[in-house]
Amino acid sequence: QVQLVESGGGLVQPGGSLRLSCVASGFTLDKYAIAWFRQVPGKEREGVSCLSVSDGNTYYADSVKGRFTISKDNAKNMMYLQMSSLKPGDTAVYYCATDLIPLRVGCAIRESDYGPWGQGIQVIVSS
């Protein structure tokens, strides 16, 4: 069964850090671009970051650039989102996802490019 499961969310104070993890099962991550998205109630899901499998390039939304880092560990079949200097505006449910197409050239944080998806994990940035 193909599945992605996130962990590492929670409550953090502004300026703090969190690392989200996502473990894949039923398939291997090594051939797929990966991405993180987030969603706030009442708003559309927003692309946060992606990591290309073809060239290792990364892309970040302007709102998180310089604060978030995406990575993956193929040996552990896991992907990560390191978040630092967190702001209340980062509060959201965060989702991990993998590309629908193996070995795609490049990556884009476009929802239609991705599936499967994790179930989502809450991150709350508040004092």
Side-chain angles (χ1 to χ4, degrees), residues 14-98:
S17 299
L18 274 178
R19 188 177 79 157
L20 302 182
S21 300
C22 176
V23 60
S25 58
F27 71 109
T28 57
L29 289 177
D30 58 341
K31 293 181 174 60
Y32 295 90
I34 61 170
W36 288 90
F37 290 75
R38 66 186 183 185
Q39 189 169 25
V40 175
K43 292 190 177 182
E44 291 187 356
R45 191 148 51 184
E46 171 193 20
V48 174
S49 180
C50 65
L51 171 62
S52 166
V53 68
S54 61
D55 53 19
N57 284 342
T58 55
Y59 176 85
Y60 297 93
D62 287 343
S63 57
V64 306
K65 203 172 293 183
R67 301 187 298 120
F68 289 13
T69 303
I70 189 171
S71 63
K72 69 174 178 175
D73 186 331
N74 289 331
K76 295 182 178 179
N77 221 30
M78 293 191 70
M79 54 193 286
Y80 307 97
L81 186 67
Q82 178 68 47
M83 306 184 294
S84 59
S85 302
L86 282 161
K87 306 174 182 179
D90 296 317
T91 295
V93 176
Y94 283 73
Y95 299 87
C96 60
T98 57

Side-chain angles (χ1 to χ4, degrees), residues 106-118:
C107 73
I109 45 175
R110 182 170 52 229
E111 270 196 78
S112 58
D113 282 357
Y114 294 91
W117 294 81

